[in-house]
Amino acid sequence: MATAIRVKARVSQEHLDARRRQILDGAARCFARNGFHATSVQDVLGAVGLSAGAVYRYFRGKDEIIAAIATEAFAGIRGAFEEASRATPPPTPDVLIGPVLRLFLEERIEGADRQAFARLIIQVRTETLRNERLARTLSEGYNGMRVVWADLVALYKEGGILAADVPADHVARTLIAVVQGFIAQQALFGDVAVDVLEDGIRGLMSMSVDPIR
């Protein structure tokens, strides 16, 4: 009897998790396609094929949905970078950034074009101007990314592939800015493959302080 109860509880939680995933993915497609403000809760309901009661069981409105999408995105990106950084020696930025961006820009929103997630990120940033909760979520995510990259930079220094006198946080902020700029280009123009970013970073890393003749 106890085993049956545990199995039922596990199945129920799996069902709840799958339903929540269904709502977030459907909402993300709507927001990326039509914009946050132009998307109504009814649009989200139509996209996920659920009743209002089913959706409101998980989220009280669009603000909570977009905050959940942002929180999940930052956690996923940070986790991907942390996992990649455990390699010995740690991969350099040109090797590390590309696979993570491909995962989130090209595969994150199922059934959407590859600009979808980039457009969604830009919308989230804009929305922080009026949404304090979302602004805090974004700030926490950004600070978490700074910690991850600062730790990586420290490993680069220990390995002798980065100058020891450059503050780790300065390099971390710069790398984050590079990624943010790339995402903005993808959202606005849609013609920038991740390979371009990888090649660009690799080229900058190959620069020498002595003139190349």
Side-chain angles (χ1 to χ4, degrees):
M1 182 67 176
T3 301
I5 293 174
R6 285 197 297 271
V7 170
K8 183 176 180 181
R10 183 174 68 251
V11 171
S12 296
Q13 186 59 50
E14 290 173 353
H15 173 76
L16 293 174
D17 292 344
R19 186 56 55 85
R20 186 176 187 274
R21 172 84 277 129
Q22 180 183 354
I23 295 169
L24 291 178
D25 287 349
R29 285 194 295 272
C30 289
F31 295 152
R33 182 175 61 248
N34 302 322
F36 181 75
H37 291 290
T39 299
S40 67
V41 173
Q42 289 301 318
D43 293 329
V44 175
L45 297 179
V48 300
L50 297 174
S51 67
V55 172
Y56 287 128
R57 178 178 183 179
Y58 298 87
F59 306 102
R60 287 180 292 183
K62 289 197 302 180
D63 284 354
E64 284 199 0
I65 293 176
I66 198 71
I69 291 172
T71 300
E72 185 181 75
F74 271 118
I77 293 172
R78 178 174 179 173
F81 279 127
E82 286 178 335
E83 181 177 355
S85 69
R86 295 189 186 104
T88 305
T92 51
D94 60 316
V95 175
L96 178 58
I97 290 175
V100 175
L101 281 180
R102 285 191 184 89
L103 176 64
F104 282 88
L105 291 183
E106 299 178 3
E107 303 173 22
R108 173 61 186 84
I109 303 180
E110 184 178 351
D113 63 71
R114 72 176 190 173
Q115 281 182 266
F117 194 68
R119 289 195 299 264
L120 187 58
I121 291 174
I122 297 302
Q123 289 185 57
V124 168
R125 289 177 181 163
T126 303
E127 194 63 18
T128 60
L129 298 176
R130 72 163 196 89
N131 187 325
E132 291 185 5
R133 176 184 177 183
L134 192 56
R136 288 195 300 272
T137 297
L138 217 64
S139 179
E140 291 169 1
Y142 174 73
N143 289 332
M145 289 304 303
R146 282 173 56 192
V147 171
V148 172
W149 274 108
D151 290 344
L152 270 168
V153 171
L155 293 175
Y156 295 154
K157 289 183 177 182
E158 290 175 9
I161 61 174
L162 183 69
D165 61 343
V166 180
D169 184 59
H170 293 187
V171 179
R173 287 173 180 262
T174 300
L175 289 169
I176 292 172
V178 168
V179 172
Q180 290 174 329
F182 177 82
I183 291 173
Q185 288 185 47
Q186 183 66 276
L188 294 172
F189 310 117
D191 60 351
V192 188
V194 175
D195 305 42
V196 172
L197 180 63
E198 291 173 317
D199 289 343
I201 295 176
R202 188 176 302 114
L204 291 173
M205 289 171 56
S206 69
M207 292 176 69
S208 173
V209 293
D210 297 319
I212 299 175
R213 304 185 187 280

Coordinates of all heavy atoms in Angstrom, one line a residue, residues 42 51 64 66 74 84 86 106 110 113 148 169 175 183 185:
Q42 N -5.2 34.8 -22.8 CA -6.0 33.9 -23.7 C -5.1 33.3 -24.8 O -5.3 32.2 -25.3 CB -7.1 34.7 -24.3 CG -8.2 35.1 -23.3 CD -8.9 33.8 -22.7 OE1 -9.1 32.8 -23.4 NE2 -9.1 33.9 -21.4
S51 N -7.1 25.1 -19.8 CA -8.1 26.1 -19.3 C -7.4 27.1 -18.5 O -6.2 27.0 -18.0 CB -9.1 25.3 -18.5 OG -8.5 24.8 -17.3
E64 N 4.2 36.6 -13.7 CA 4.8 35.5 -13.1 C 5.4 34.5 -14.1 O 6.4 33.9 -13.8 CB 3.8 34.8 -12.2 CG 3.5 35.5 -10.9 CD 2.9 34.6 -9.8 OE1 2.6 33.4 -10.1 OE2 2.6 35.0 -8.7
I66 N 6.7 35.2 -17.1 CA 7.9 35.8 -17.7 C 9.0 35.7 -16.7 O 10.2 35.5 -17.0 CB 7.7 37.2 -18.3 CG1 8.8 37.6 -19.2 CG2 7.6 38.2 -17.2 CD1 8.8 36.9 -20.5
F74 N 18.4 31.8 -16.8 CA 19.6 32.1 -16.1 C 20.2 30.9 -15.4 O 21.4 30.6 -15.4 CB 19.4 33.2 -15.1 CG 19.6 34.6 -15.6 CD1 18.6 35.5 -15.7 CD2 20.8 35.0 -16.2 CE1 18.7 36.8 -16.2 CE2 21.0 36.2 -16.7 CZ 20.0 37.1 -16.7
A84 N 30.7 23.0 -17.9 CA 31.8 23.0 -18.9 C 33.1 23.4 -18.3 O 34.2 22.9 -18.6 CB 31.4 24.0 -20.0
R86 N 34.2 22.6 -15.5 CA 34.9 21.6 -14.6 C 35.9 20.8 -15.4 O 36.6 20.0 -14.8 CB 33.8 20.7 -14.1 CG 32.8 21.3 -13.2 CD 31.9 20.4 -12.5 NE 30.9 21.0 -11.7 CZ 29.6 21.2 -12.1 NH1 29.2 20.6 -13.2 NH2 28.7 21.8 -11.3
E106 N 19.3 28.2 -30.2 CA 18.8 27.4 -31.3 C 17.8 26.3 -30.9 O 17.1 25.7 -31.7 CB 19.9 26.9 -32.1 CG 20.8 28.0 -32.7 CD 22.0 27.4 -33.5 OE1 22.1 26.2 -33.6 OE2 22.8 28.3 -33.9
E110 N 11.1 25.0 -28.4 CA 10.8 24.0 -29.3 C 9.8 24.5 -30.3 O 8.8 25.1 -30.0 CB 10.3 22.8 -28.6 CG 10.0 21.6 -29.5 CD 9.5 20.4 -28.8 OE1 9.5 20.4 -27.5 OE2 9.1 19.4 -29.5
D113 N 11.6 29.6 -34.4 CA 12.8 29.9 -35.2 C 14.0 30.3 -34.2 O 13.8 30.5 -33.0 CB 12.6 31.0 -36.2 CG 12.2 32.3 -35.5 OD1 13.1 32.9 -34.9 OD2 11.1 32.8 -35.5
V148 N 30.4 33.0 -11.9 CA 30.9 31.8 -12.7 C 32.1 32.2 -13.5 O 33.1 31.5 -13.6 CB 29.7 31.3 -13.6 CG1 30.2 30.2 -14.5 CG2 28.6 30.7 -12.7
D169 N 36.9 40.1 -12.2 CA 35.6 40.6 -12.5 C 35.5 41.4 -13.7 O 34.4 41.5 -14.4 CB 35.1 41.4 -11.3 CG 33.6 41.8 -11.4 OD1 32.8 41.0 -11.5 OD2 33.4 43.1 -11.4
L175 N 33.2 39.5 -20.9 CA 32.7 38.4 -21.6 C 31.2 38.3 -21.6 O 30.6 37.9 -22.6 CB 33.3 37.1 -21.0 CG 34.8 36.9 -21.2 CD1 35.3 35.8 -20.3 CD2 35.1 36.5 -22.7
I183 N 23.6 38.3 -28.5 CA 22.2 38.0 -28.4 C 21.3 39.1 -29.0 O 20.3 38.9 -29.7 CB 21.8 37.7 -27.0 CG1 22.4 36.4 -26.5 CG2 20.3 37.6 -26.8 CD1 22.3 36.1 -25.0
Q185 N 22.3 41.2 -31.4 CA 22.4 41.1 -32.9 C 21.5 40.0 -33.4 O 20.8 40.2 -34.4 CB 23.8 40.8 -33.2 CG 24.8 42.0 -33.1 CD 26.2 41.6 -33.6 OE1 26.3 41.1 -34.7 NE2 27.2 41.9 -32.8

